[in-house]
Amino acid sequence: MTGKRWAFEDFAEGATIDLGQKHVTAEEIIEFASEFDAQPMHLDEEAGKASILGGLAASGWHTCCMFMRLMCDGFLLDSTSQGSPGIDYVRWKKPVLAGDTLTGTSTVTAKRASSSRPNLGLVTVRHELVNQRGEVVLELQNTGMFLRRVAGEAA
C-alpha cells in the first residue's frame, strides 16, 4: 500500500471524483468494433447514420472500456484497489459518436468495512460519462474493494 493515495478511509460518502476527459475518434471506434463488436453502426458512418444511433457510434462495450481507462487514470491506479465483486448495473443512455468528448465522474454513494476481512473496506460508487452537450451517455454502479490503512478500525 505504500505511496498509494486512495485507501478505503479516503473515500467519503457523497464525494465526487473528477475522472478527466476523453476525445473519441472514428478510427478508434472502427478499430474496437472490428475486433470486438462488428455491427455495421460501429464500423461504417453511413450504416451508423441509417441506424437509430444517428452516426458512427461506439459500441456500448467500447464506451465501458473508455470509462474504465478514465477511472484507472482518475484514481484507481493510485489506490489500494483489490478489485470488485461485480457491476450492479450499466446503462447506455445515449450513443457515443465519433468526435464526441466525454467527461467522467465517480460519486461515492456508500462505504462499509468488510465483516469477513478486517483489512478491506467496500466502497460503492455511481459513475457517469457525459458528452460535450451535457448529455449522460453512460451510467454505471459498482462496489470496489480497497485496503484499509488500519485493519479493523471503525469505518
Side-chain angles (χ1 to χ4, degrees):
M1 185 183 115
T2 305
K4 297 294 185 180
R5 178 175 171 220
W6 295 93
F8 170 72
E9 292 82 358
D10 299 312
F11 294 94
E13 286 187 34
T16 297
I17 303 164
D18 178 20
L19 303 180
Q21 292 188 327
K22 164 77 174 114
H23 182 73
V24 184
T25 67
E27 295 77 22
E28 70 184 296
I29 289 173
I30 293 168
E31 182 180 353
F32 184 94
S34 295
E35 187 165 354
F36 300 109
D37 191 353
Q39 297 181 72
M41 68 285 248
H42 305 316
L43 293 169
D44 179 77
E45 178 72 33
E46 292 308 312
K49 285 180 182 175
S51 77
I52 64 170
L53 301 177
L56 181 65
S59 161
W61 299 114
H62 183 192
T63 304
C64 286
C65 290
M66 289 185 281
F67 160 75
M68 188 68 200
R69 184 64 212 215
L70 286 172
M71 185 172 63
C72 282
D73 292 344
F75 71 92
L76 210 55
L77 295 177
D78 191 19
S79 78
T80 62
S81 174
Q82 301 297 294
S84 172
I87 302 292
D88 298 323
Y89 64 84
V90 174
R91 293 188 183 106
W92 298 306
K93 309 287 277 183
K94 296 269 186 188
V96 173
L97 302 175
D100 279 353
T101 298
L102 307 177
T103 301
T105 57
S106 297
T107 302
V108 178
T109 60
K111 65 183 269 191
R112 66 177 176 83
S114 170
S115 56
S116 60
R117 296 182 181 207
N119 65 326
L120 283 181
L122 300 149
V123 180
T124 302
V125 185
R126 183 179 175 279
H127 312 279
E128 281 188 346
L129 283 182
V130 177
N131 64 21
Q132 69 278 5
R133 292 176 296 282
E135 301 166 325
V136 176
V137 298
L138 175 72
E139 181 182 287
L140 63 117
Q141 180 175 292
N142 77 297
T143 299
M145 299 178 293
F146 295 87
L147 291 177
R148 299 176 70 185
R149 287 203 170 85
V150 180
E153 196 171 273

